[in-house]
Amino acid sequence: MLFFLFGEVESICPFSQTPGGGKQTDIPNLNLGDLDLTTDEFILDEVDIHIQANLEDDLVKEALKTGVDLRQYSKQVEAELQRIEQASIKDYIKESQNIALLHNQITACDSILERMEGMLSGFQSDLSSISSEIQTLQQQSVSMNVRLKNRQAVRSHLSQLVDELVVPGAMISTILDSPVTEQDFLEQLHELNNKINFAKELSFRETLACSDIQDIVDRLKIKAVSKIREFILQKIYSFRKPMTNYQIPQNTLLKYRFFYQFLLANERTVAKEIRDEYVDTMSKIYYSYFKSYSGRLLKVQSHVSPENDDPPTKSAGFFSKPSLKSRNTIFTLGQRGAVLSPAELEGPILIPHTAQRGDSRYPYETLFRSQHYALLDNGCREFLFLSDFFMVAGNSALDLFNCIMGKTLNMFLKSMSTYVSDCYDSIAVFLCIHIILRFRAITAKRNIPALDKYWEAVLELLWPRFELILEMNIHSIRNTDPQKLGVLDTRPHYITRRYAEFSSAIVSINQTFPNERTNALLGQLQVEVENFVLKMAAEFPSRRDQLIFLINNYDMMLSVLMERAADDSKEVEGFQQLLLARTQEFIEEILSPPFGGMIAFVKEAEALMEKGQLDRLKNDEARITQLVRGFSSTWKQSVEAMSQDVMRSFTNFKNGTSIIQGALTQLIQYYHGFHKVLNQPTFRSLAVRSELINLHHLMVEVKKHKPNF
């Protein structure tokens, strides 16, 4: 291994040799670095690593395996390199001409490339100059574009100014010669209005060009105002002709609403003159129309108040004598409630002369509905016209409307106040209240506030009067003396019938727009009527007649109320409870004469059974025997007589039938209790138990006695 290393060193740095092949004695001063074995820094570990790496080489492995002399092998390699070098030199000499030619060609190419570089440098300088010229042109283009835009803007303003300043001949001829109803006149009026406004704007800027057209524009304005004033006043004056439908000229004015706008903007004096003339004319027309219409309506009014000899302040009480001429009294709703139905509420208004010709008569609320529906229809239309034509809104529109309709509305209120002050027809007043409530809802839906204050004023007249009439009836019933009402019988009294019809009428009307004050007054009236019925019943000597009277009156009032009022209303529930209680008491009353002994025994025995003391009746065998045999022999005749008596006592067959059924049911329950008592151990030894009627057989027989109506 050391031999190979030293051989390698000699191959890298060979010593100088003499021609004879001997080695020189002088060793050159070599800096071997890490390979210097004489240095103290030589690291044997690294030498081992290099040696190991060289031994891994394939060529070294082959040489060591074959045993080749490395010195001899090195010499062979050196000789081979010299041979190859000589051959290379010969090849170079052989190709020298080609190499010289290649050199010349490379030199020529170099000169050509040098010329191209010069040309490209020239092109580059030319392009830089062109780029600067393009930038200059771009700046000039931007500057020219800005100047163009400025000139175009100035041109548009100048052209608009010139167009506004120029008064074309077509405008002059149209304004001067064409009728105001032609479309050309309206179009040229718009243009003239624009020029007038533009001239005003220029005058504020002190534009000298404005003075050139001011005179022409002023004269055209004067002419247009004159023609418009004449046209509108002519239309307004046409309203005054008799039998004129003023809605037609109103529609015509709406087509030319710009006329008033032109006047308002350019000649306020004329605009005010036209508005004042319109207000004065329409105020008189509406007042005259509604005054005449209301007077003619009163001629077809029917009088439904009852005839009596009492003072006027009591003419509407429940105690006034009934009229035989008309079944329709002030306490009965009848067909009068139809005035609140949607079909009739917004139906056509009454035509008085047609009604007079047909000899038709109508209650006050129908006339009231017709009168106020005409007011609603005309008022809504008038308010919309004022808002549209005179261009007013809010309080201004309301003030203008009141100027026109105020006199008419005051006439209505005065007439109504006169009627209400002497009116005792509470149903008519209440219907009028609900007509107003519905009309107020209609105007609110149409978004027309013009009549809101009038509706409130009418309600302030009607509500107190209605409450006063109710309170008068309450006091009248409270202070009545039954002994002054003449001979009484067990049939329903006419006062309770009047109350039932009146209460059902008010309750049915009040359902749509409930009023707590009305409900409270009806509650007071019901209490007083209940007390009155009890006072009337007390006039009968026997309890049986008292119960018949109470049941007949309660049943009648309940039947009338249920025809119109809801089943769950307070009035219906109250009388149902009263009727049920008195009916149950009456059943006990009619069962007592024929079956009182058995009923008393059953009640006594059941009470003792609950206490466990039934043995106390053990010695009543004779009594029980009499009860059993007496019931078996007489119950059929007693039931038949009881049924006939009940049917004669009650005017309402349906009510009588239900009472008989209740009595028979109660009888069966008592007899069932009688069976139950006798089945107790205390009475099982009684021989009379065999004579008891079978309960099922009794039920079958009882069913035969139930009346069928």
Side-chain angles (χ1 to χ4, degrees):
M1 186 180 292
L2 293 175
F3 171 78
F4 173 74
L5 179 62
F6 290 139
E8 186 179 9
V9 172
E10 288 179 353
S11 66
I12 296 173
C13 301
F15 295 101
S16 300
Q17 298 181 359
T18 61
K23 295 181 181 179
Q24 294 181 351
T25 58
D26 297 332
I27 298 172
N29 188 15
L30 297 174
N31 183 13
L32 297 178
D34 294 337
L35 299 178
D36 189 357
L37 298 175
T38 63
T39 63
D40 296 334
E41 299 177 357
F42 185 78
I43 302 173
L44 293 179
D45 293 338
E46 293 183 359
V47 173
D48 290 339
I49 293 172
H50 285 295
I51 291 174
Q52 186 65 30
N54 289 329
L55 289 176
E56 295 294 331
D57 186 83
D58 293 338
L59 187 60
V60 174
K61 288 181 179 180
E62 183 67 25
L64 290 175
K65 188 183 290 186
T66 56
V68 177
D69 188 359
L70 294 178
R71 291 185 181 89
Q72 186 63 34
Y73 184 74
S74 175
K75 289 180 181 181
Q76 290 177 1
V77 170
E78 185 176 358
E80 184 67 22
L81 290 173
Q82 288 178 356
R83 185 182 63 78
I84 292 172
E85 181 182 2
Q86 291 298 324
S88 177
I89 292 172
K90 289 180 182 180
D91 289 339
Y92 183 78
I93 293 173
K94 182 180 178 179
E95 297 294 332
S96 59
Q97 291 182 356
N98 293 333
I99 293 172
L101 180 59
L102 179 60
H103 175 72
N104 293 333
Q105 291 177 352
I106 291 173
T107 304
C109 288
D110 196 21
S111 63
I112 292 171
L113 292 173
E114 184 178 1
R115 289 198 301 275
M116 290 181 66
E117 182 181 5
M119 292 173 62
L120 291 175
S121 298
F123 288 155
Q124 184 177 7
S125 62
D126 292 341
L127 287 174
S128 62
S129 63
I130 290 173
S131 177
S132 62
E133 290 179 0
I134 289 174
Q135 291 179 355
T136 302
L137 290 174
Q138 185 178 6
Q139 293 175 357
Q140 292 177 356
S141 176
V142 171
S143 177
M144 291 175 65
N145 190 28
V146 171
R147 290 197 298 271
L148 176 62
K149 288 183 178 179
N150 291 337
R151 290 176 181 177
Q152 287 178 343
V154 171
R155 178 183 177 183
S156 64
H157 287 294
L158 286 176
S159 62
Q160 182 180 358
L161 177 63
V162 172
D163 290 340
E164 294 293 343
L165 288 175
V166 172
V167 180
M171 176 186 292
I172 297 174
S173 60
T174 301
I175 296 296
L176 294 178
D177 301 329
S178 297
V180 296
T181 55
E182 290 188 2
Q183 185 64 26
D184 290 342
F185 181 87
L186 186 60
E187 293 175 356
Q188 293 300 330
L189 190 65
H190 278 279
E191 292 296 328
L192 177 61
N193 190 56
N194 293 335
K195 292 186 182 298
I196 293 173
N197 294 333
F198 189 73
K200 291 179 181 179
E201 183 180 353
L202 292 181
S203 64
F204 292 142
R205 300 177 185 176
E206 298 181 355
T207 304
L208 296 177
C210 178
S211 59
D212 295 339
I213 64 165
Q214 190 66 47
D215 183 59
I216 298 176
V217 170
D218 289 342
R219 284 188 289 175
L220 287 176
K221 180 182 72 173
I222 293 171
K223 183 62 176 177
V225 167
S226 175
K227 295 178 70 173
I228 291 172
R229 175 183 176 275
E230 181 181 356
F231 171 75
I232 296 178
L233 288 178
Q234 182 181 1
K235 290 297 179 184
I236 293 175
Y237 293 151
S238 66
F239 296 169
R240 303 176 179 178
K241 296 179 181 179
M243 306 301 292
T244 299
N245 184 357
Y246 59 87
Q247 294 179 358
I248 296 176
Q250 274 187 339
N251 292 333
T252 303
L253 288 177
L254 286 176
K255 294 180 182 178
Y256 303 103
R257 61 175 63 87
F258 181 72
F259 288 173
Y260 185 79
Q261 181 180 348
F262 180 83
L263 295 177
L264 196 62
N266 300 287
E267 197 62 51
R268 287 186 172 271
T269 305
V270 177
K272 184 177 182 304
E273 177 190 2
I274 288 177
R275 192 173 79 166
D276 293 344
E277 191 66 33
Y278 178 83
V279 168
D280 181 66
T281 299
M282 293 307 298
S283 176
K284 293 177 180 178
I285 288 176
Y286 281 124
Y287 180 78
S288 175
Y289 166 73
F290 280 106
K291 183 178 181 181
S292 173
Y293 183 66
S294 300
R296 284 181 290 163
L297 281 179
L298 292 178
K299 296 180 181 179
V300 296
Q301 179 182 356
S302 62
H303 298 281
V304 297
S305 59
E307 297 178 358
N308 58 84
D309 299 327
D310 295 336
T313 55
K314 298 181 180 179
S315 61
F318 285 128
F319 305 101
S320 55
K321 296 179 182 178
S323 172
L324 299 178
K325 296 181 179 179
S326 176
R327 297 280 182 180
N328 185 20
T329 71
I330 60 175
F331 305 108
T332 306
L333 185 61
Q335 298 299 320
R336 299 170 69 183
V339 73
L340 298 178
S341 64
E344 189 167 341
L345 187 69
E346 300 184 54
I349 63 174
L350 294 178
I351 302 176
H353 64 270
T354 304
Q356 282 182 303
R357 191 180 306 126
D359 199 22
S360 300
R361 292 294 182 266
Y362 302 94
Y364 178 77
E365 63 273 7
T366 302
L367 308 182
F368 182 88
R369 195 282 315 175
S370 180
Q371 182 187 46
H372 281 80
Y373 187 68
L375 175 66
L376 181 146
D377 191 40
N378 286 275
C380 290
R381 182 180 180 85
E382 186 63 31
F383 183 79
L384 293 175
F385 175 82
L386 296 176
S387 300
D388 196 0
F389 186 79
F390 291 103
M391 297 177 296
V392 289
N395 292 330
S396 299
L398 294 177
D399 292 341
L400 186 59
F401 178 83
N402 289 329
C403 290
I404 295 175
M405 301 295 295
K407 190 176 179 181
T408 301
L409 299 181
N410 289 332
M411 177 194 69
F412 274 14
L413 291 174
K414 183 177 180 181
S415 174
M416 199 177 310
S417 176
T418 303
Y419 172 80
V420 166
S421 63
D422 194 35
C423 175
Y424 295 91
D425 187 355
S426 53
I427 293 181
V429 175
F430 200 54
L431 286 172
C432 291
I433 289 174
H434 279 263
I435 289 171
I436 293 298
L437 292 176
R438 285 162 172 76
F439 282 168
R440 185 172 64 178
I442 291 173
T443 54
K445 185 178 180 180
R446 295 181 183 180
N447 197 22
I448 305 295
L451 293 170
D452 288 352
K453 290 184 178 180
Y454 174 74
W455 300 140
E456 295 299 329
V458 174
L459 292 176
E460 289 177 0
L461 281 175
L462 297 177
W463 273 119
R465 186 62 186 179
F466 174 71
E467 294 174 0
L468 176 63
I469 298 173
L470 274 182
E471 291 172 355
M472 290 173 63
N473 283 310
I474 292 171
H475 292 302
S476 177
I477 294 178
R478 181 184 302 153
N479 300 327
T480 188
D481 183 2
Q483 296 180 355
K484 295 181 179 180
L485 296 178
V487 180
L488 298 179
D489 57 29
T490 58
R491 291 176 298 177
H493 199 273
Y494 72 90
I495 294 177
T496 56
R497 175 173 292 279
R498 286 186 177 182
Y499 160 75
E501 293 173 346
F502 175 78
S503 181
S504 64
I506 299 300
V507 169
S508 63
I509 296 171
N510 199 44
Q511 289 175 350
T512 306
F513 293 90
N515 180 266
E516 294 301 325
R517 174 63 176 163
T518 302
N519 292 333
L521 290 172
L522 285 178
Q524 296 179 23
L525 184 60
Q526 180 180 353
V527 171
E528 297 299 333
V529 169
E530 291 175 3
N531 295 334
F532 168 76
V533 173
L534 293 176
K535 288 192 294 183
M536 293 282 289
E539 297 295 317
F540 293 94
S542 67
R543 183 58 181 168
R544 180 179 177 279
D545 290 341
Q546 292 177 0
L547 291 174
I548 293 174
F549 178 80
L550 291 174
I551 292 173
N552 276 329
N553 281 275
Y554 290 154
D555 176 66
M556 181 274 298
M557 290 188 285
L558 187 60
S559 300
V560 175
L561 282 170
M562 292 182 67
E563 289 180 2
R564 298 188 180 274
D567 292 343
D568 58 349
S569 65
K570 182 176 65 176
E571 292 80 7
V572 171
E573 291 180 353
F575 284 115
Q576 282 178 337
Q577 295 175 1
L578 291 172
L579 178 61
L580 181 62
R582 298 289 79 79
T583 300
Q584 193 62 36
E585 183 181 354
F586 180 75
I587 288 174
E588 296 291 336
E589 185 73 20
I590 61 175
L591 289 176
S592 179
F595 309 108
M598 182 190 69
I599 295 173
F601 176 79
V602 170
K603 290 181 178 179
E604 182 182 359
E606 289 178 346
L608 292 174
M609 285 172 60
E610 291 180 359
K611 298 178 182 179
Q613 301 175 358
L614 190 60
D615 291 340
R616 294 174 58 181
L617 298 177
K618 189 175 182 180
N619 298 323
D620 290 348
E621 180 178 354
R623 177 185 175 190
I624 295 173
T625 302
Q626 182 182 2
L627 291 176
V628 172
R629 292 174 177 173
F631 182 86
S632 300
S633 61
T634 63
W635 76 268
K636 290 185 178 180
Q637 295 85 350
S638 299
V639 167
E640 183 66 29
M642 182 178 64
S643 299
Q644 295 177 0
D645 183 50
V646 168
M647 298 311 298
R648 287 194 301 267
S649 299
F650 296 100
T651 56
N652 186 350
F653 288 163
K654 183 178 179 181
N655 184 41
T657 302
S658 65
I659 291 175
I660 293 174
Q661 291 177 352
L664 295 177
T665 302
Q666 188 68 26
L667 175 62
I668 292 174
Q669 290 178 354
Y670 280 131
Y671 199 69
H672 179 262
F674 191 51
H675 268 261
K676 185 177 179 182
V677 170
L678 295 184
N679 285 331
Q680 297 299 315
T682 305
F683 304 110
R684 284 181 181 175
S685 61
L686 295 178
V688 76
R689 289 180 64 249
S690 61
E691 299 180 22
L692 286 172
I693 300 175
N694 181 273
L695 192 62
H696 179 71
H697 176 71
L698 179 64
M699 293 175 62
V700 172
E701 290 296 325
V702 163
K703 286 184 179 180
K704 297 178 181 179
H705 291 274
K706 287 185 178 181
N708 296 317
F709 293 104

